Amino acid sequence: MDKQLQRDLTKWLKSQSKLAKRWLMLSVGLGFLSGLLLVGQAALLAHILHQLIIEHTDKYQLVSSFGGLFAIVGLRAACSWGREIYGYRCGEQIRLHIRQLILLRLQQLGPAYIKGKPAGVWASLVLEQVEEMQDFFSRYIPQMSIAVLVPMVILFAVFPLNWAAGLIFLITAPLVPMFMALVGLGAADANRRNFKALQRLSGHFYDRLQGLSTLRLFNRAEAEAENLHAASHVLRKRTMEVLRMAFLSSAVLEFFSALSVAITAVYFGFSFIGELNFGHYGVPISLFTGLFILVLAPEFYQPLRDLGTFYHAKAQAIGAAESIVEFLNSDADGMSQGQTNLESPETISITADQLEVLSPQSQVLAGPLSFTIHPHEQVALVGPSGAGKTSLLNALLGFLPYRGSLKINGTELKELDHSQWRQAISWVGQNPLLLHGTVRDNITLGNPLATEEHIKQVSQQANADEFIQRLEKGYHHQVGDRSGGLSVGQAQRIAVARAMLQSGAFWILDEPTASLDANSEHLVLESLKNAVSGQTTLMVSHRLDQLAAMDRVLVMENGKLVQNGSFEHIRQQGLLADMLAHTDKRDLDA
C-alpha cells in the first residue's frame, strides 16, 4: 500500500475518534491514573522489602504499608476495568457512526449501484470490516497517549533517585516503537489483502447460496464447492500472513523489552557489589532504590509493548478503512440531490428533454430521450428486452444519474428532495418483495401511521383481504424473507395494497402481472385499474393486449424512443406493429 495512502487512511481514522472524545479521555485518564498508582505501588513494595530485609523492622509495624499496597492494587484493577469499559464505549460509538455513514451512502447511491457488486461484499463492508476497527479505537488510540504519559511519570520518579537507570530507560525506550514500525510496515498490506479475500469469499458464497437450487439442477454443486474451497484457501493464506506479522511484532517487542530490563538489572547488580560507582548523586544505592527501579523497569516498557501488541489493530483498521473510504468517496456526482420541495405533489407531470440515463460509472444506458407525461395521463412503456425501459424507470426514481433535463412539475429532478419525490410515487414491480415481518408491517411499509380501518380498506380494494382473513393470525401472520409462506399472486396483491396505502399521485407499474397465473392476474389488474384511475401512470408491460386501455404508448428500442402516440395511431407501423404481429403469430402457434 502506498505510504501516502496509509497516512491519509490513518488521518481519516483518527478524525473519526473525535466523535467519542469523552470516552477516549476517560480511558486515557484512567490509564494515566493507573500509572501514578503504579509508582506508589512500586515505592510501597520496595519500602516494605527494604524495611524487612535491611532494617529488620517487625512486620506488624508495616501493617499500614501492607494495607496501602493492597488498596493500590485494588484501585489499579478498578482503573483497568474502567479502561476496558470506556474503551469499548469509544469503539462502539465510532463503529455505529461509520455504519451510519455507509448505510446513508448506500441509500444515496441507490439499488442500481448496489447491484453492481455481490451482496456478500456489502455484508462484509458493513459487518466484518467495521467490526475490525473496534480494537483500533478502543485500545490503540488510547494506548498511544498512555505509552507517552506513563513512561514520563516513571522517568520523573526514577531520575531523582538514579540518573544512570533513567538514562538507560531513556536510550532504550525508542528501540521498541522503532522496531515496531519496521515490523509493521507490511502489516497494513497484509490486512488489506486479507479483507479483499474475505470480500470475494463472502460475495461468492452468498451468490452461490442463493442459487443453490439452480446449481443442483444443473449438477454444478460439486464444481462450485471446489471454487469455494479455492477461495477459502486464499483467505486462509492471507489470514496466516496477518498472524505471522502479529507474532513477529510481539516477539521483537518482547526481545527488546527484556534486553532493556536486563541491562538495568545488570547495572544494579554490579553497583551492589561495588563494580560500578556512578548514577547515584553521591549517595550509595540502597536496596529501596534498586528494588523500586527494578520493579518499575518492566512497567516502563509495558505501555510500549502494549502499543506494539495493539499495533496490529492499527494495521487491521487501515486495511478495513481502505474499502470503506473508497466507497464513501465513490464518484457519484450525478446522484446528488437538492433540497427543493415538489410543487403540487397531488398532481404529477413529467418532461424529459434530451435525457441520457447513465450508469454509476457514467456509461450511457439509454437516450437521448424527449417526451412529456401530462397530469392524469396513463402511459404505457414497451419495447424488447434490453431497450432501456428499466434504466428509464431507475432514472425517474432517482436511482441512476442522468444528463440533459428531467423535470417533475417543472422542477429539475436533481434539484428535488428525492425522499419527498418518492413519497409521491406508488410503485408496483414484477417481483413483489415482502420483508420479514407481519402482513400488516408489509402493507404499512410506506405509511406506518395508517389506521386499521384504512389498512383493511386498501386490502379489500387490492383483493388481498379475502386470503389474509384465511391466514391463522390474519394481518399479524408472519411473512418470511422473500415472501416466504405466500404465493406470488398473494404477495403481489399485498404489494398493490401497500402502493394504494401510500396514495401516490404518480404510479409506476413495472410489469405487475408478469409472474402471475390467470386468476391472480385478473384480480391484480382489477384492483390496479381502480387504484390508478385519475392518476398519472407509467406502466411497463410486455402484455400488448393491455395497451388499448392506455392514453398513450412510448416504444423504446436500443435505448432510444422510436414511437410515441396513441395505441390506435401507432399500431399499424414501426416496431409496435412488428411486436403485435409477432405476438399474434405466437398465439396462433400456441
Side-chain angles (χ1 to χ4, degrees):
M1 185 186 294
D2 180 68
K3 291 183 179 180
Q4 182 59 44
L5 178 59
Q6 284 199 36
R7 285 193 289 269
D8 292 341
L9 293 174
T10 303
K11 185 178 179 180
W12 181 83
L13 286 167
K14 289 181 179 178
S15 68
Q16 304 304 309
S17 65
K18 296 176 183 177
L19 301 168
K21 189 174 181 180
R22 179 171 62 119
W23 300 115
L24 188 61
M25 294 299 294
L26 285 171
S27 179
V28 173
L30 287 176
F32 179 67
L33 178 60
S34 180
L36 294 175
L37 292 172
L38 171 66
V39 175
Q41 177 182 325
L44 279 175
L45 184 60
H47 170 72
I48 291 171
L49 292 175
H50 179 82
Q51 291 296 319
L52 290 175
I53 297 172
I54 303 300
E55 303 296 334
H56 301 291
T57 305
D58 187 80
K59 57 182 177 292
Y60 293 106
Q61 297 179 13
L62 301 174
V63 171
S64 60
S65 297
F66 278 109
L69 182 62
F70 286 124
I72 289 176
V73 170
L75 288 173
R76 287 194 66 204
C79 287
S80 297
W81 176 80
R83 277 187 60 195
E84 289 292 326
I85 295 296
Y86 295 138
Y88 178 80
R89 295 300 181 198
C90 173
E92 180 185 43
Q93 186 170 342
I94 298 171
R95 282 187 293 117
L96 287 173
H97 172 71
I98 294 175
R99 279 205 177 96
Q100 187 178 23
L101 290 178
I102 294 173
L103 293 175
L104 287 174
R105 189 62 173 162
L106 284 172
Q107 181 182 2
Q108 179 186 3
L109 294 175
Y113 184 92
I114 295 171
K115 287 182 179 178
K117 293 182 180 180
V121 172
W122 300 119
S124 175
L125 188 73
V126 176
L127 298 176
E128 285 93 345
Q129 290 186 235
V130 176
E131 283 296 320
E132 292 296 341
M133 296 182 175
Q134 171 67 26
D135 283 350
F136 176 79
F137 293 112
S138 65
R139 297 178 183 273
Y140 182 78
I141 291 291
Q143 193 62 35
M144 286 181 65
S145 300
I146 294 169
V148 174
L149 294 174
V150 173
M152 289 296 293
V153 168
I154 293 176
L155 284 175
F156 277 118
V158 169
F159 261 110
L161 295 176
N162 191 287
W163 60 263
L167 200 60
I168 292 173
F169 289 171
L170 199 58
I171 293 173
T172 56
L175 292 175
V176 176
M178 182 179 71
F179 281 93
M180 176 182 69
L182 289 175
V183 172
L185 283 176
D189 275 336
N191 277 281
R192 179 178 58 84
R193 291 192 295 269
N194 186 50
F195 284 123
K196 293 293 184 184
L198 179 61
Q199 281 187 346
R200 285 194 295 270
L201 179 60
S202 297
H204 195 88
F205 175 73
Y206 186 79
D207 288 346
R208 271 52 182 179
L209 189 63
Q210 281 186 310
L212 185 58
S213 299
T214 304
L215 292 174
R216 289 173 66 97
L217 287 171
F218 284 89
N219 199 28
R220 292 293 300 171
E222 291 185 5
E224 289 302 325
E226 289 295 326
N227 291 335
L228 280 172
H229 177 75
S232 63
H233 176 72
V234 172
L235 177 62
R236 182 165 59 250
K237 183 179 178 181
R238 298 288 181 250
T239 304
M240 293 309 296
E241 287 180 6
V242 174
L243 291 175
R244 185 165 61 247
M245 288 287 183
F247 287 133
L248 179 60
S249 175
S250 298
V252 170
L253 296 178
E254 291 294 334
F255 172 75
F256 283 102
S257 299
L259 185 63
S260 302
V261 173
I263 291 173
T264 306
V266 168
Y267 162 73
F268 278 108
F270 278 95
S271 296
F272 283 136
I273 63 175
E275 295 295 330
L276 295 177
N277 190 25
F278 62 88
H280 46 68
Y281 302 107
V283 179
I285 297 176
S286 65
L287 181 63
F288 170 83
T289 303
L291 287 174
F292 176 68
I293 295 176
L294 283 174
V295 168
L296 289 178
E299 300 296 338
F300 176 81
Y301 299 101
Q302 188 61 46
L304 297 172
R305 291 161 62 190
D306 290 341
L307 183 64
T309 302
F310 301 148
Y311 189 80
H312 77 280
K314 176 187 176 183
Q316 225 170 20
I318 290 175
E322 184 184 22
S323 298
I324 293 175
V325 173
E326 181 182 354
F327 167 68
L328 293 176
N329 295 334
S330 56
D331 185 16
D333 294 335
M335 297 299 297
S336 60
Q337 58 175 300
Q339 301 298 323
T340 305
N341 290 329
L342 179 66
E343 295 184 6
S344 303
E346 65 278 357
T347 304
I348 299 296
S349 66
I350 299 172
T351 303
D353 184 21
Q354 296 299 308
L355 172 68
E356 287 186 329
V357 183
L358 308 176
S359 71
Q361 293 75 34
S362 299
Q363 298 175 340
V364 178
L365 300 177
L369 306 170
S370 297
F371 61 88
T372 299
I373 300 178
H374 301 289
H376 312 298
E377 187 178 24
Q378 297 189 358
V379 177
L381 181 63
V382 299
S385 297
K389 303 186 297 296
T390 301
S391 298
L392 176 58
L393 291 187
N394 279 323
L396 285 170
L397 292 167
F399 293 152
L400 280 177
Y402 67 88
R403 284 197 297 256
S405 176
L406 180 59
K407 293 184 177 180
I408 313 296
N409 289 358
T411 304
E412 197 65 42
L413 179 58
K414 293 177 182 178
E415 299 174 3
L416 286 176
D417 181 350
H418 285 183
S419 60
Q420 191 205 17
W421 161 232
R422 289 171 189 143
Q423 283 297 318
I425 299 173
S426 288
W427 173 83
V428 181
Q430 57 182 307
N431 297 312
L433 177 63
L434 301 188
L435 305 178
H436 184 78
T438 65
V439 170
R440 186 188 186 282
D441 293 337
N442 279 277
I443 294 176
T444 60
L445 188 64
N447 188 2
L449 301 179
T451 63
E452 297 297 329
E453 183 181 353
H454 196 186
I455 294 170
K456 189 164 186 178
Q457 179 184 351
V458 296
S459 299
Q460 289 173 343
Q461 291 173 351
N463 295 302
D465 184 66
E466 55 91 11
F467 80 81
I468 294 176
Q469 296 293 352
R470 295 199 304 267
L471 298 174
E472 183 179 352
K473 295 183 179 179
Y475 285 88
H476 296 285
H477 175 78
Q478 286 288 330
V479 179
D481 292 331
R482 299 182 179 275
S483 311
L486 298 176
S487 69
V488 177
Q490 291 172 335
Q492 189 67 301
R493 279 180 273 172
I494 290 177
V496 172
R498 178 167 60 194
M500 288 180 174
L501 193 63
Q502 190 165 352
S503 301
F506 178 46
W507 281 71
I508 294 180
L509 308 177
D510 185 7
E511 301 193 47
T513 61
S515 304
L516 304 183
D517 58 76
N519 182 54
S520 296
E521 180 182 13
H522 172 73
L523 293 173
V524 169
L525 287 176
E526 182 183 355
S527 59
L528 285 174
K529 181 180 178 180
N530 296 327
V532 304
S533 178
Q535 303 289 355
T536 307
T537 305
L538 179 62
M539 182 178 74
V540 178
S541 179
H542 281 105
R543 293 292 304 271
L544 302 184
D545 57 341
Q546 300 172 0
L547 302 184
M550 308 303 289
D551 298 325
R552 194 151 48 90
V553 179
L554 303 178
V555 184
M556 291 186 67
E557 183 180 26
N558 297 325
K560 302 291 193 298
L561 189 63
V562 295
Q563 288 181 283
N564 182 357
S566 67
F567 177 70
E568 294 298 331
H569 183 260
I570 65 174
R571 64 178 298 181
Q572 303 297 333
Q573 58 185 356
L575 179 60
L576 182 59
D578 295 339
M579 294 173 64
L580 287 169
H582 180 73
T583 301
D584 292 341
K585 183 178 182 301
R586 185 178 58 191
D587 291 342
L588 288 173
D589 292 341

